[in-house]
Amino acid sequence: MSGNRLKVQLGNLELQNPIMPASGCFGFGREYSQLYDLSQLGAVIVKATTLESRLGNNTPRLAETPAGMLNSIGLQNPGVNAVIEEELPWLEQFHVPIIVNVAGTMTEDYVEVAERISKAKGVSMIELNISCPNVKCGGITFGTDPQTAYDLTKAVKEASQVPVFVKLSPNVTDIVAMAKAVEEAGADGLSMINTLIGMRFDLKTKKPILANQVGGLSGPAIKPVALRMIYEVYKQVSIPIIGMGGISSAEDVAEFFLAGASAVAIGTANFVDPYVMPKIINDLPRVLNQMGVEKIADLTGEGWNLI
Amino acid sequence: MDQITARIITNEKLTEEIYQLVFYSPELIEQKPVPGQFLHVRVSEHLEPLLRRPISIHDIDHHLMQCTLIYRVGGKGTQFLREKREGDSLDILGPLGNGFPMEEINEGEQVVLLGGGVGIPPLYYLAKELVKKEIPLTILLGYNSKEHSFLIKKFSQVGEVNIATMDGTEGIKGTVVDLITDYLNEKLLQTGSTFYACGPTPMLKAIQNEWLDTPINGYLSLEERMGCGIGACYGCVIKVDTMIDPKGYKKICQEGPVFSFREVLL
């Protein structure tokens, strides 16, 4: 049974397979559900949710880069009430664990969103977004200082009824220090990595292409950075890691497991191939066979063992 | 919508930078694409260029089960597309977006189509559908120069065409907006009328200014860099009048690309 081979655990949460969409790349699932049955997925991570609705940044919000893209969406979302009332009840029909990405400006609004969303039916986990590079206040400022990240994680952990995974920013000097700080604060797991801050310029206007000037780099271009950071963090913490950053094939998934991931999220690749997630799920047993591995869960951190 | 692998029939040059690609795809035709919808085209199998390119449908031949796209070769993505040959496969996602609303046009009404540059092609499929409803069309087309012009003959078969070029080498010297004469305005105001426009943003803005204070009804088709193309990533948005939509932004790929000319803030 390929089903059993792909099962993974994130703490107490069991997933039928390790594949889920990365927050912000899948909206609240409605669009991709027109193409395939979302119940095939291991879990669904929905778009960042804030206390009040947010309009997001000015346009252009996207710029293409070699093997990747920059985005500066700016957390556009309908606010926690609309997410609880309109999006989550709809998403529940697929019976897959729902992970809600929680974002904010101040500790208070992070805590309030976490409290409310963690009580909502069907929510299995919170992904705490301390790493969005595209908003002026909050977001990444919480994600670059270990003490600030510790305090926020602790406050959100106390307010939440469900496990809290903290999404780390790669835009730091010492990723291990960040990981250890949030683990100490009680984080149940880590999501890594968020996007790398980048820029592009338009030769005609001589200005940055993005209206926000800078944006988050995603796509295959960042895969080696993500792998390195997960690898560094894996041995230093004892909480599970959801790996992400440029994954677009079953082979990529296996690489993230070797580095230390227990599950993975797929973002930009959905835009290139809208069926990429079901395709990877179907393709994973083949890759496991090639590697001579029975269960994908056995691969987590294997990259360390041969050293 | 679905992801479809189509087979290319022709891919040829219309002007120095404009190309016309015809492909065969019963799967697409079955989905009954309407004028104004677009396809999200994967131009390369490689990691660069990574993202799909949104291209409007220029024409559909239901009998031959063919679709025609007309695109301008600008950046890397369309350079890849230009290299595609007869028999090659084409990975498309579509049909996407909402088309030009046509239900509210009454008999005896005037309809004006306004197109600028690479914004002109999608108006052709629309024109064909309007002609089927026996609606007389005034078609205003703008190009940089005679050398850059294309599709004029085709449009002449479906309506009364007026041309403007920036350098005056064909038609009047100026833009599409300069083709909106007092005579035309008078005719529009008398009959109650609808316009459809597609082209560069400054052109759409000028049209908006021209008719905002009149009872004329109209639609604009917008263009923007896109990520997913289906509404999931919030990358391609347009500011809208918050009196009309409190969200402040609408997604061009999913809620457009066609909008009422009164709702969008260009």
Side-chain angles (χ1 to χ4, degrees):
Chain A
M1 277 292 290
S2 73
N4 287 330
R5 298 182 70 185
L6 299 185
K7 256 186 203 163
V8 294
Q9 290 282 137
L10 288 175
N12 291 327
L13 183 65
E14 187 182 86
L15 309 183
Q16 60 177 341
N17 66 63
I19 307 299
M20 62 191 93
S23 177
C25 300
F26 206 69
F28 294 92
R30 289 184 193 268
E31 292 79 18
Y32 286 94
S33 78
Q34 293 171 50
L35 292 169
Y36 60 86
D37 182 357
L38 302 188
S39 65
Q40 299 169 67
L41 300 174
V44 172
I45 309 184
V46 300
K47 196 163 166 51
T49 298
T50 52
L51 190 56
E52 307 293 342
S53 68
R54 290 216 189 169
L55 297 181
N57 291 332
N58 282 335
T59 58
R61 292 174 170 186
L62 299 179
E64 200 172 30
T65 66
M69 61 177 276
L70 291 164
N71 86 80
S72 68
I73 309 298
L75 301 181
Q76 181 175 352
N77 80 94
V80 66
N81 283 342
V83 171
I84 290 173
E85 282 160 27
E86 289 156 35
E87 303 299 340
L88 298 180
W90 175 84
L91 197 51
E92 238 194 311
Q93 67 178 296
F94 300 103
H95 303 289
V96 291
I98 300 170
I99 302 174
V100 180
N101 185 288
V102 170
T105 311
M106 301 167 301
T107 306
E108 292 71 25
D109 53 322
Y110 270 108
V111 165
E112 192 171 343
V113 176
E115 192 173 354
R116 277 153 74 176
I117 211 102
S118 70
K119 285 181 195 153
K121 200 159 164 265
V123 173
S124 297
M125 191 188 280
I126 281 175
E127 180 178 66
L128 183 61
N129 188 348
I130 58 167
S131 44
C132 179
N134 293 322
V135 288
K136 297 240 153 27
C137 306
I140 202 158
T141 54
F142 286 102
T144 48
D145 174 53
Q147 184 61 46
T148 319
Y150 173 91
D151 292 342
L152 180 70
T153 303
K154 202 168 167 69
V156 167
K157 213 14 220 170
E158 276 164 18
S160 174
Q161 317 264 324
V162 295
V164 175
F165 273 51
V166 181
K167 188 162 182 176
L168 298 182
S169 169
N171 304 298
V172 294
T173 313
D174 187 353
I175 189 81
V176 173
M178 294 300 300
K180 282 175 135 174
V182 301
E183 182 185 37
E184 207 187 315
D188 299 284
L190 303 169
S191 278
M192 48 192 300
I193 57 176
N194 206 319
T195 53
L196 288 142
I197 301 175
M199 277 186 104
R200 277 205 58 201
F201 288 84
D202 183 323
L203 299 187
K204 273 189 203 145
T205 64
K206 304 189 182 75
K207 288 183 193 162
I209 292 179
L210 298 173
N212 189 45
Q213 286 139 40
V214 300
L217 179 64
S218 65
I222 73 166
K223 194 182 96 175
V225 180
L227 288 168
R228 185 266 295 176
M229 290 191 155
I230 293 167
Y231 185 74
E232 281 182 358
V233 165
Y234 175 74
K235 273 284 159 160
Q236 303 290 327
V237 300
S238 53
I239 48 178
I241 299 168
I242 303 174
M244 61 201 73
I247 297 174
S248 45
S249 68
E251 283 85 355
D252 290 344
V253 174
E255 259 193 277
F256 273 73
F257 270 73
L258 291 175
S262 294
V264 294
I266 292 165
T268 306
N270 289 296
F271 307 161
V272 181
D273 178 355
Y275 288 100
V276 69
M277 289 197 285
K279 278 182 190 164
I280 287 177
I281 293 165
N282 289 329
D283 200 26
L284 271 171
R286 178 189 62 83
V287 173
L288 294 181
N289 289 344
Q290 271 178 9
M291 295 173 80
V293 176
E294 179 52 31
K295 289 179 175 166
I296 191 159
D298 296 338
L299 275 182
T300 299
E302 274 296 287
W304 272 98
N305 293 346
L306 301 170
I307 293 167
Chain B
M1 67 157 160
D2 205 355
Q3 185 185 9
I4 294 163
T5 304
R7 202 183 75 240
I8 294 173
I9 296 169
T10 57
N11 189 18
E12 59 196 6
K13 207 185 213 181
L14 295 185
T15 74
E16 202 46 54
E17 50 180 14
I18 303 287
Y19 280 71
Q20 172 172 289
L21 185 152
V22 182
F23 64 82
Y24 170 78
S25 175
E27 296 97 327
L28 177 69
I29 307 304
E30 256 168 40
Q31 296 190 55
K32 300 192 171 59
V34 295
Q37 285 190 304
F38 69 94
L39 304 176
H40 216 16
V41 180
R42 189 165 179 189
V43 292
S44 153
E45 293 296 302
H46 309 288
L47 293 180
E48 197 190 359
L50 187 68
L51 299 173
R52 290 170 179 267
R53 297 293 189 270
I55 303 175
S56 288
I57 294 169
H58 164 64
D59 196 9
I60 295 282
D61 186 324
H62 292 90
H63 181 64
L64 296 174
M65 293 190 279
Q66 292 177 358
C67 171
T68 307
L69 305 177
I70 293 182
Y71 58 98
R72 189 176 66 88
V73 176
K76 242 178 236 165
T78 40
Q79 281 170 25
F80 267 90
L81 194 56
R82 178 178 61 190
E83 298 309 315
K84 301 257 185 203
R85 295 286 172 262
E86 180 191 347
D88 285 354
S89 60
L90 187 69
D91 176 348
I92 53 175
L93 177 62
L96 301 175
N98 302 298
F100 296 104
M102 285 184 281
E103 309 74 33
E104 285 170 24
I105 296 169
N106 300 311
E107 213 176 306
E109 260 190 39
Q110 283 290 321
V111 166
V112 184
L113 308 183
L114 306 99
V118 78
I120 291 170
L123 298 174
Y124 182 70
Y125 185 26
L126 172 68
K128 268 188 21 184
E129 293 300 307
L130 291 169
V131 164
K132 274 191 204 159
K133 296 170 141 216
E134 297 183 1
I135 292 162
L137 303 175
T138 303
I139 302 165
L140 313 180
L141 304 177
Y143 304 94
N144 279 331
S145 69
K146 183 176 182 173
E147 220 188 347
H148 288 93
S149 70
F150 57 100
L151 296 178
I152 295 176
K153 229 189 214 165
K154 239 171 143 178
F155 272 101
S156 300
Q157 290 160 1
V158 289
E160 184 201 323
V161 176
N162 293 292
I163 310 288
T165 51
M166 296 306 283
D167 63 357
T169 45
E170 178 84 42
I172 70 154
K173 187 171 187 235
T175 69
V176 165
V177 185
D178 298 315
L179 290 169
I180 305 170
T181 57
D182 292 345
Y183 170 72
L184 178 66
N185 261 327
E186 211 170 289
K187 212 163 68 168
L188 291 177
L189 290 168
Q190 271 172 12
T191 53
S193 47
T194 304
F195 74 85
Y196 300 92
C198 186
T201 306
M203 169 191 140
L204 300 181
K205 211 168 171 170
I207 291 169
Q208 215 180 25
N209 290 336
E210 179 80 23
W211 284 325
L212 208 54
D213 295 329
T214 71
I216 294 169
N217 184 28
Y219 300 94
L220 309 176
S221 179
L222 307 184
E223 198 186 38
E224 178 64 274
R225 297 164 193 278
M226 289 184 187
C228 67
I230 63 175
C233 77
Y234 295 68
C236 64
V237 294
I238 181 76
K239 268 195 182 126
V240 291
D241 188 342
T242 45
M243 299 289 278
I244 295 173
D245 189 330
K247 285 205 304 278
Y249 281 110
K250 278 193 169 180
K251 295 183 258 187
I252 292 177
C253 66
Q254 190 186 39
E255 296 169 272
V258 177
F259 294 95
S260 157
F261 87 112
R262 295 180 192 280
E263 72 177 318
V264 289
L265 304 175
L266 297 170

